[in-house]
Amino acid sequence: MKQPVAPSKIGGFTLVELMIAMVLGLIVIGAVLALSLSMIRANSDTISSTRLTQELRATSAAVTSELQRAGGVANPFDLAAAATMGDIDDDTAGCIIYTYSFQNGANVETVEQAISRSGNAIYVGDACGSGGQKLSSDNVSITGLTFNRGGRTITMTLRGELKLNKGETVSREYSQTVFAPGLSTGT
């Protein structure tokens, strides 16, 4: 007669082992989630900083194209006209006034323009702070604009801010030197 064999221990995990594994798994998942959120936040800040720099560059390019007209004359061989056009006025902080002339049909027209910061934007118009055509984006607050002239070059410095989520801001400063061939070499 055969004797019944006692069942051997069946392989598997105990309840305590499963609970420990679950806790360790949750800790690992939590660490990975925290790292992922931190990377997403840092990436968002980097994208915002890049966007601000691009906006400042675009505004600077618009101002540069305007400033390159400074002192320009319709007929560069007319030395008397060229001598009267080569002056700019940068005595007002955050503003520069310049003149240029151009051929309009049979007439030569002279234009006086001002580039200035008004509020949180940059405008080109008839006078400092008078508004005119807006050169900067609505997305960026321009917090500073300076001009430094040296001969035929003008170094322009823009400072701007971009609002981020949760009320934070990112600030940048961007400088560009503009060569205006029509300007006189004096300062």
Side-chain angles (χ1 to χ4, degrees), residues 130-179:
S130 68
Q133 182 179 351
K134 188 174 183 181
L135 297 179
S136 57
S137 167
D138 290 334
N139 300 324
V140 172
S141 295
I142 302 296
T143 59
L145 173 65
T146 58
F147 297 100
N148 292 313
R149 181 171 175 210
R152 290 186 170 137
T153 61
I154 303 165
T155 302
M156 170 190 52
T157 303
L158 288 170
R159 284 180 301 285
E161 287 184 351
L162 180 67
K163 293 198 186 303
L164 304 175
N165 298 334
K166 300 179 185 173
E168 298 173 2
T169 60
V170 61
S171 299
R172 288 283 181 269
E173 183 173 288
Y174 184 79
S175 292
Q176 183 166 346
T177 301
V178 179
F179 178 71

Side-chain angles (χ1 to χ4, degrees):
M1 180 152 184
K2 268 184 164 183
Q3 238 180 355
V5 177
S8 64
K9 205 171 194 183
I10 299 176
F13 296 106
T14 65
L15 184 58
V16 172
E17 292 171 333
L18 284 175
M19 302 255 315
I20 290 172
M22 285 176 52
V23 167
L24 291 175
L26 286 174
I27 289 172
V28 169
I29 289 172
V32 168
L33 185 61
L35 178 65
S36 297
L37 288 175
S38 173
M39 288 172 52
I40 289 170
R41 192 173 298 120
N43 187 37
S44 175
D45 290 349
T46 301
I47 289 171
S48 295
S49 295
T50 302
R51 181 177 175 198
L52 175 59
T53 301
Q54 287 175 336
E55 294 279 352
L56 290 176
R57 281 184 182 167
T59 301
S60 178
V63 171
T64 296
S65 69
E66 281 295 318
L67 285 178
Q68 286 175 336
R69 296 181 185 184
V73 291
N75 180 0
F77 298 108
D78 183 353
L79 297 179
T84 62
M85 297 304 255
D87 293 328
I88 62 171
D89 177 7
D90 59 354
D91 293 335
T92 305
C95 180
I96 191 167
I97 300 171
Y98 59 97
T99 56
Y100 63 93
S101 69
F102 65 96
Q103 191 77 35
N104 187 5
N107 301 325
V108 174
E109 293 190 29
T110 300
V111 177
E112 182 174 279
Q113 294 280 18
I115 297 174
S116 62
R117 182 174 78 91
S118 180
N120 290 326
I122 297 198
Y123 294 91
V124 60
D126 297 335
C128 293
S130 68
Q133 182 179 351
K134 188 174 183 181
L135 297 179
S136 57
S137 167
D138 290 334
N139 300 324
V140 172
S141 295
I142 302 296
T143 59
L145 173 65
T146 58
F147 297 100
N148 292 313
R149 181 171 175 210
R152 290 186 170 137
T153 61
I154 303 165
T155 302
M156 170 190 52
T157 303
L158 288 170
R159 284 180 301 285
E161 287 184 351
L162 180 67
K163 293 198 186 303
L164 304 175
N165 298 334
K166 300 179 185 173
E168 298 173 2
T169 60
V170 61
S171 299
R172 288 283 181 269
E173 183 173 288
Y174 184 79
S175 292
Q176 183 166 346
T177 301
V178 179
F179 178 71
L183 292 179
S184 63
T185 56
T187 55

